[in-house]
Each structure stands twice: as C-alpha cells, then as structure tokens.
C-alpha cells in the first residue's frame, strides 16, 4: 500500500510530468555575428563573435512535451532545434554585461538600426530535449547555424541584472547546415565496453534502495530556506498601467499563476529561460563545515588551487578527510524540495520502488573484505522491478535481478577499480559515468569516484561524486518552469546565479570558463543477486544478450 502522502505526491508528479508541457531550455553559450561588432568570444570556431549566455525562440515559446513517468518510452532520441522554420519571428538572448560587445550592441539597439544580416549558432547538444540521452548522430552538426535577415534589436534594461536582454526581431531565417526536424529522431548506441574484472575472489551485489544528492549536513545548516518567487516580482518591472491591467486580468485566477509567472523580466521576457536578465534576488546557502564528498581537485585549501579549478570553500568529511569538494551542496542545501525529506528525493525513489528502473552496485574480485588492493565496482541497471512488502518504503532483499542488456541502459554501465582499506572501499576516478535516475533525470558525472561502507547486516552505504555540467543541470532543474519554483521552493534567477558562482571544475581550455560543478550523491543498497551467466559475461567485459 502507498501512504497518503506518497500517493498525493505521485499524483502531483504525474501531473507535472504527464500533463504540463516543458520549456525548451537552452542555458549555455551560443554565438552571434554582427557586422562591425567585435564580440570578443574565445570559442575557436566563433572567435570574436558575441557570446550569449542563454536563448529562446519566439516571444512565448511553445512548451516541449514531457515524455511520461513510466520509463517505458526510450530516451534514445535526438530532437532538433526549436527555431522557427521561417520568419518573421524573434530570438531572445542574454549577453553578460561584462561582454566587450555590450556598449556597441546597446548603441545599435537604441539607434533603431536595421541589420541586413546576422549570423547565429547554437549548440545541438544544448538545444536537445533534456530527457534524451545517447550520442549525437554523426550527421548532426555540433552547432546549428542560421542567417537572420532584416534584424532590429530591442534591449529592455533591468538595473542590477548581470546580463542584458536582447530581442532580435527578424523578418527571415535561413538554416545553413540543417533541415527542420518536426519529430524526435530515433538513434542507436552500443553497450559500454567494460574492462575485465579481477579474476577470482568473492562478489556482492546490492540493489540501490535510495539515491539522492547530498543536501543535508546538519539540522541547523539553513538560517532560512530559499523562497519561491512572489507576486510582487511578477509586476515589479511593468509600467503602472500594464501592472494594473494584468492584475485585473488575473484576479479571477488568484493572481499571477505559474503559466505567466516566468514572464517577469523586462518587457515581460521569460526569466526561466533567460535567468540572468533581472537583478539577482539572492540564494540562501547552507552553513556547514562537515559535508560528505570527495577531494576532486587534489587541493585541501592550504595551497594555491590548481589552474583547472576555480577557488572555492572546502569542506571536511565526517571521517576527517580534508579538501572535500561538493559545491552542489551549497546550492541545494537550503532548498526544501532537494533535502533528504524533500519532494524530489522522495518521489524519485518512490517511482523506482513502484516498478521503475532498478539500479545495481556490484562489488567483485574481493579476496579480503577488510583489506584488498584490487577490486572492481560496477554500476548496472535492471528492468526487473524491486520487490516490496506491504509498505511503499520497505524493499525486500535477496532477490535476483537480470542485468539489462538494452543498449539504452547498457551504454551507461561503468566499472571502477578500487581498493579496500580497513573495511572501506574507495575507487579511482572514472572519466564519465551516466546515471539513469528515471525518465526525466539522466545525467553525467565527470571524473567520478565512489566510496562504499559495508554494514554487518549485509547492506551498504556509498557516496558517488564528480562534476556535473552546470548548464545541463540548470536546464534540468528549470524543466518544469515556475511549477518547480513553487513546488520545490526556489527562485530561478537566484539559483542560476548561485550555480554559476559555485561552478568549480571542468575548465574549458578554449574559453577558460568553468563548466562543471562538484557534486556528491548518497546511495543505500540492500543485498541482491545477478544471474551467474550475466556475471560471467560482465566479468570478461563482454556484452549481454537482450532480455526477452
């Protein structure tokens, strides 16, 4: 039986995921070339173009569909851009106010100059639907390129905003290197090639019964919780006449609802899609010194930070390790919906318990469970559902789970090498690990590593850490627009600025920008088994036959 709170939450999630369309988020760099404007962009292909920080097409973009919560629909698809097939239309951009091109752009805008031709390029990967995963097809360009004709700029100013909003209103649009793609494109991929596991030794398999970001360090970490946007913020940048008009129009709906609330930017531009175009409303960070995680950058704070890492506060782990990097904790730690008892961890784990994709952690090649200098840890997925007793939270141990040979999931199998010291297993870093939490939450950790502690009752507790691409993280977090602001409890512009400040790794060698934010996740697991034939194939690094 599912408890009343869980049932209500699943109903809410079903509404959010199944009936409410989703924004076509594009958070991250795109590039504009305007004749006579030196934009200063450092990208090797678009050098000296103007770099934009986020974009959306049309004044009120259509929301993309949300592809269900059952997990039955494949995420192996590649959706094309949301740009219009023909003009006239509008492209909304935000440009950092530190851009060397800003003064010239504002001059062009305020003069009313019509630009005969403007070139534009946006990343195919960042324009992709956020629920998709798998490789970009070989015939899809890295950047979609366009020519916009007869362009006039508008540039509403919001005092104190870190980025300037621009609306490029054009009469025509030409696609340079791609054709319109009206439907998602089905793609294929291959199973991951795993390195061989150590020969011999014992193995233990664990079914993941809990998975969530580490957002809790102590009971007093938040002087206050982050807040959702207010009604006053919606009307703040409108003229008195427009504000009165909107208040009258929305009075019967109880005020500004989540449909209109995103349009609280200057000129009623969308601040979910361009979150830098209003003044930073602030974001409450947790106060803690002891936080779980890893020293990802090899720096404990006593020496200069390496060139690849942005200086940031370090934490100490509960067992005394110094230099812990977990900057995502600084963002999520005072957002109610991301805390351990919050809506998102609760609903994500309940959906797995209710028959969603099962996650497995397999430890193999162990000669001594106290001290062993060469063991393997493999992250796997299974289509077999968890087994539960009569409650929604108690998952039964000691069941067998077939390893899922579907390439959609086997592409993400990952094997770490590690060692056990005094009963604690730590792994070396893995270049890239893709996690499938559910149909709406597939994401990648770079430079990933694990730390596992084994319980006397056969259970395990682990942490998984690495760097997430902050741009894709934000697009995922904002996927439900103001529905999530109100349900989870945050203000999108404040959270956006907090994540940008916290990004501390994955420095782009071409642009010098930090694209990664350190993050750590907690994992709890109960004893389980995988079939001997699956273990034999996986131990050799081979591929499994598809399940019938």
């Amino acid at each position: 039986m599912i408890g009343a709170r869980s049932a209500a939450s699943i109903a809410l999630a079903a509404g959010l995921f199944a009936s409410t369309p989703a924004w076509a988020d594009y958070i991250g760099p795109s590039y504009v070339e305007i004749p006579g404007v030196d934009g200063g962009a450092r990208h090797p292909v678009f050098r000296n173009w103007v770099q934009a920080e986020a974009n959306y097409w049309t004044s009120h973009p259509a929301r993309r569909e949300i592809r269900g919560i059952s997990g039955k629909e494949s995420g192996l698809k590649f959706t094309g851009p949301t740009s219009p097939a023909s003009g006239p239309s509008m492209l909304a951009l935000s440009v950092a106010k530190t851009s060397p091109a800003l003064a010239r752009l504002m001059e062009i805008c305020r003069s009313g100059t019509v630009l005969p031709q403007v070139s534009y390029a946006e990343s195919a990967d960042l324009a992709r639907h956020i629920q998709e995963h798998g490789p970009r097809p070989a015939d899809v360009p890295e950047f979609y390129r366009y020519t916009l004709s007869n362009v006039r700029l508008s540039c509403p100013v919001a005092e104190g905003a870190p980025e300037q909003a621009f609306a490029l209103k054009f009469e025509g649009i030409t696609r340079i290197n791609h054709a319109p793609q009206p439907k998602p494109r089905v793609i294929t991929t291959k199973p991951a090639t795993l390195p061989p596991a150590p020969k011999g030794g014992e193995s233990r398999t664990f079914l993941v019964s809990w998975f969530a970001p580490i957002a809790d360090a102590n009971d007093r970490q938040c002087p206050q919780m982050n807040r959702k946007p207010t009604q006053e913020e919606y009307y703040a940048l409108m003229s008195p006449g427009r504000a009165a008009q909107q208040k009258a129009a929305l009075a019967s709906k109880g005020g500004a609802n989540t449909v209109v609330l995103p349009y609280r930017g200057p000129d009623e531009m969308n601040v979910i899609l361009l979150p830098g175009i209003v003044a930073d409303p602030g974001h409450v960070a947790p106060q803690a010194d002891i936080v779980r995680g890893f020293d990802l950058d090899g720096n404990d704070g006593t020496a200069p930070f390496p060139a690849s890492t942005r200086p940031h506060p370090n934490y100490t782990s509960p067992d005394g390790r110094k230099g812990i990097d977990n900057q995502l904790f600084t963002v999520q730690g005072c957002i109610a919906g991301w805390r351990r008892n919050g809506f998102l961890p609760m609903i994500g784990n309940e959906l797995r318990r209710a028959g969603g994709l099962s996650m497995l952690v397999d430890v193999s090649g162990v000669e001594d469970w106290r001290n062993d200098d060469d063991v393997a840890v493999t992250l796997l997925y299974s289509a077999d559902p968890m087994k539960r007793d009569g409650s929604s939270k108690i998952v039964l141990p000691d069941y067998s789970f077939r390893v899922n040979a579907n390439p959609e999931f086997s592409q993400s199998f990952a094997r770490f090498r590690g060692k056990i010291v005094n009963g604690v297993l730590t792994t070396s870093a893995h270049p890239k690990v893709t996690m499938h939490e559910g149909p709406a939450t597939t994401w990648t950790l770079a430079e990933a590593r694990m730390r596992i502690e084994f319980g006397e009752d056969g259970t395990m507790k682990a942490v998984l850490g690495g760097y997430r691409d902050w741009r894709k993280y934000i697009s995922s977090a904002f996927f439900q627009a103001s529905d999530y602001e109100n349900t989870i409890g945050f203000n999108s512009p404040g959270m956006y600025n907090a994540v940008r400040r916290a990004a501390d790794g994955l420095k782009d060698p071409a642009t010098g920008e930090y694209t990664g934010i350190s993050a750590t996740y907690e994992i709890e697991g109960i004893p389980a088994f995988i079939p001997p034939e699956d273990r034999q194939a996986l131990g050799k690094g081979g591929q499994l036959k598809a399940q019938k």
Side-chain angles (χ1 to χ4, degrees), residues 19 103-104 148 152 165 167 182 211 219 225 249 275 280 370 377 413 448 473 519 536:
S19 62
R104 179 61 180 142
L148 309 179
R152 188 185 299 273
F211 183 91
D219 294 337
M225 301 303 291
D280 185 354
R370 289 293 301 168
V377 179
F413 292 174
Y473 166 77
Q536 183 178 13

Side-chain angles (χ1 to χ4, degrees), residues 510-533:
T511 66
E513 296 181 3
Y514 296 93
T515 63
I517 182 169
S518 54
T520 309
Y521 293 78
E522 60 183 7
I523 301 173
E524 296 174 6
I526 59 175
F529 302 95
I530 59 175
E533 59 272 22

Side-chain angles (χ1 to χ4, degrees), residues 396-442:
L396 299 176
D398 299 323
Y399 278 83
S400 290
F401 291 83
R402 295 169 297 169
V403 177
N404 195 336
N406 182 344
E408 178 173 4
F409 304 106
S410 62
Q411 68 172 332
S412 303
F413 292 174
R415 175 164 290 155
F416 300 80
R417 298 304 283 263
K419 60 182 179 180
I420 302 175
V421 177
N422 296 328
V424 178
L425 192 162
T426 58
T427 74
S428 57
H430 193 290
K432 185 178 75 171
V433 172
T434 298
M435 302 301 298
H436 298 265
E437 284 192 78
T441 48
T442 297

Side-chain angles (χ1 to χ4, degrees), residues 259-339:
V259 175
V260 301
L261 196 56
Y263 293 93
R264 58 185 187 269
D267 274 7
E268 297 179 48
M269 297 181 80
N270 191 310
V271 302
I272 308 292
L273 302 179
L274 300 182
I277 64 171
V278 295
D280 185 354
H283 189 84
V284 180
Q287 299 176 359
D289 298 315
I290 309 299
V291 180
R292 289 172 290 167
F294 296 90
D295 180 0
L296 299 175
D297 58 14
N299 183 279
D300 65 1
T302 61
F305 282 88
S308 60
T309 303
R310 172 183 281 160
H312 59 275
N314 282 301
Y315 298 109
T316 299
S317 69
D319 63 313
R321 288 173 290 122
K322 304 291 185 180
I324 298 301
D325 304 309
N326 189 352
Q327 290 300 291
L328 190 60
F329 167 78
T330 71
V331 175
Q332 294 185 334
C334 292
I335 298 177
W338 262 297
R339 299 288 294 273

Side-chain angles (χ1 to χ4, degrees), residues 67-74 408-409 438-439:
R67 296 174 179 170
I69 61 172
S70 68
K72 303 301 182 183
E73 182 172 351
S74 173
E408 178 173 4
F409 304 106

Side-chain angles (χ1 to χ4, degrees), residues 57-111:
W57 295 93
T58 76
S59 60
H60 283 71
R63 291 189 173 194
R64 281 178 168 166
E65 82 285 359
I66 297 177
R67 296 174 179 170
I69 61 172
S70 68
K72 303 301 182 183
E73 182 172 351
S74 173
L76 280 179
K77 296 177 181 178
F78 203 97
T79 296
T82 58
S83 54
S86 59
S89 191
M90 185 269 278
L91 170 63
L93 302 172
S94 61
V95 175
K97 289 188 176 178
T98 56
S99 170
L102 184 64
R104 179 61 180 142
L105 289 174
M106 296 300 288
E107 180 183 343
I108 293 172
C109 176
R110 287 167 174 162
S111 70

Side-chain angles (χ1 to χ4, degrees), residues 117 240 340 438 464 474 481 526:
Q117 181 172 299
R340 181 171 173 113
L464 168 70
I474 281 290
I526 59 175

